[in-house]
Amino acid sequence: MNVKVLLVACLLPVLALAQGFAGLGTDADGFADPKPNPRFDFPADHGPHPDYRIEWWYLTANLQGADGTAYGLQWTLFRSALAPGEGDGWQSPQVWFAHAAVTTPDLHLATERFGRGGVGVAGVEAAPFRAWIDEWVLEGPDFDALRLFAQGPDFAYGMDLAAQGPLIFHGDAGYSVKSAEGQASYYYSQPFYEISGTLQLPDGPVDVTGHAWLDREWSSQPLSDNQSGWDWFSLSFEDGAKVMGFQLRQRDGASYSASTWITPQGATQAMANGAFVATPLETATVAGREIPVLWRVQIPDRGVDVSVSALNTQAWMGLSIPYWEGPVRISGSHDGVGYLEMTGYE
């Protein structure tokens, strides 16, 4: 067994917790639980929270080349804890892993990295901000001005990001409820990045510009044990308004949803369960699974009734934890672009 295979085998139980869909509903005895009425402390809260079991720094971007071709980019660093708290060196119970991907209309490329905490190969520092694993890095003097780099066997990217609006807090001031049983996370975003840089693709480099969205979330048991996966949408409309919406699918066929309406200036309205409605219209066969690739999204209170279609239906993240993630196009009552993540499709 080679070193990478051995590392993956050792980490699989942890990875199942990190983005393991139903595994996120397992009991988290000993870990901290998110509580209502959070008080965030910045820049410290841009850094890790080792008393919670799972956390991520999750960046997606809708990009465009000079010829008008659309592209998508993802970079995510996950922290998953074997036990609460931190320790020195190899005594650290923190496990880190990361995903990177590029999507074009005809191609989807993805890769991953793994690392243990405490030994310098991966981590996050709040100020100046630095999130890294090996040579992959998202860093800058603060959260408003960042530089991103990642590379895989068949692609790479280097990007600059500049925030053009405020942080956005989801749910009740950043306390985001995920189920009728009350599971929750702390959840905020920076959805106002302008981004530019170069994609290194198999056919050569492509200079791109666009908009990026970074999610920050941490919890210990964000799902209930009857939830099997989620459909998460970040939608950016041409008039400058944005929506974050998700529905968590339950094993009984029902779902739990939550969403945030974001004005162009950054004012927000949190919407309760049921206000955001996402209905799959068409599926495609992806990695042997039937995956929804065309959705109808409705927010009646905001006059939103749109079709959300995949730029590339085959945007399958065939990694240690498989899921679908890719850029989407929006048309109907509002036009625009966005990103869609779908997990738990067997």
Side-chain angles (χ1 to χ4, degrees):
M1 181 180 288
N2 65 37
V3 173
K4 180 179 179 181
V5 172
L6 179 61
L7 181 59
V8 171
C10 292
L11 294 182
L12 278 177
V14 178
L15 297 178
L17 296 176
Q19 192 137 339
F21 321 137
L24 282 170
T26 58
D27 291 337
D29 293 341
F31 289 94
D33 291 321
K35 303 295 184 185
N37 304 311
R39 295 185 178 181
F40 292 93
D41 177 18
F42 296 113
D45 276 329
H46 295 320
H49 300 81
D51 289 338
Y52 294 81
R53 187 168 65 175
I54 177 64
E55 184 167 17
W56 51 70
W57 295 255
Y58 209 121
L59 181 75
T60 55
N62 291 99
L63 305 168
Q64 189 174 65
D67 63 355
T69 300
Y71 301 89
L73 174 153
Q74 179 201 349
W75 188 92
T76 311
L77 182 63
F78 301 92
R79 179 194 59 78
S80 185
L82 300 167
E86 187 55 282
D88 295 330
W90 289 103
Q91 300 303 310
S92 171
Q94 306 300 325
V95 176
W96 298 83
F97 60 106
H99 296 170
V102 171
T103 307
T104 80
D106 304 310
L107 192 65
H108 181 76
L109 305 169
T111 190
E112 62 188 338
R113 294 286 177 92
F114 305 94
R116 277 297 300 267
V119 295
V121 299
V124 177
E125 297 170 353
F129 182 78
R130 183 170 183 255
W132 81 96
I133 186 165
D134 297 333
E135 82 282 10
W136 295 11
V137 64
L138 178 67
E139 64 181 347
D142 54 43
F143 216 60
D144 290 336
L146 298 173
R147 173 72 177 171
L148 172 67
F149 174 79
Q151 62 182 350
D154 44 13
F155 73 94
Y157 48 68
M159 298 283 155
D160 292 301
L161 298 96
Q164 304 299 313
L167 295 177
I168 298 300
F169 296 86
H170 301 291
D172 185 0
Y175 178 75
S176 174
V177 177
K178 297 296 196 291
S179 73
E181 292 82 4
Q183 276 77 22
S185 69
Y186 294 135
Y187 183 12
Y188 68 89
S189 301
Q190 174 45 273
F192 291 107
Y193 284 119
E194 292 186 354
I195 184 171
S196 61
T198 302
L199 303 174
Q200 300 289 343
L201 300 176
D203 290 337
V206 180
D207 292 334
V208 292
T209 59
H211 302 278
W213 181 306
L214 193 148
D215 272 355
R216 284 284 293 114
E217 195 162 8
W218 63 96
S219 184
S220 292
Q221 186 186 350
L223 305 187
S224 71
D225 59 7
N226 72 337
Q227 292 175 319
S228 60
W230 62 81
D231 309 301
W232 172 88
F233 298 77
S234 63
L235 307 179
S236 297
F237 301 135
E238 288 184 351
D239 65 4
K242 301 177 186 293
V243 171
M244 184 289 299
F246 61 79
Q247 60 181 12
L248 290 153
R249 303 186 308 278
Q250 299 174 185
R251 299 184 189 282
D252 62 4
S255 64
Y256 184 91
S257 72
S259 53
T260 305
W261 180 267
I262 307 167
T263 72
Q265 296 76 33
T268 62
Q269 177 192 359
M271 291 176 279
N273 179 27
F276 175 90
V277 181
T279 306
L281 300 179
E282 294 181 10
T283 65
T285 302
V286 184
R289 301 160 171 84
E290 288 302 308
I291 303 292
V293 293
L294 176 64
W295 292 79
R296 182 183 183 185
V297 170
Q298 297 167 282
I299 309 174
D301 288 350
R302 285 288 178 173
V304 173
D305 189 347
V306 296
S307 294
V308 177
S309 59
L311 174 68
N312 182 339
T313 63
Q314 302 299 306
W316 183 250
M317 301 291 289
L319 306 174
S320 298
I321 298 171
Y323 57 101
W324 194 102
E325 175 124 32
V328 294
R329 293 166 289 193
I330 306 162
S331 61
S333 64
H334 298 64
D335 295 332
V337 296
Y339 241 80
L340 170 60
E341 179 186 67
M342 299 179 285
T343 71
Y345 288 90
E346 301 296 337

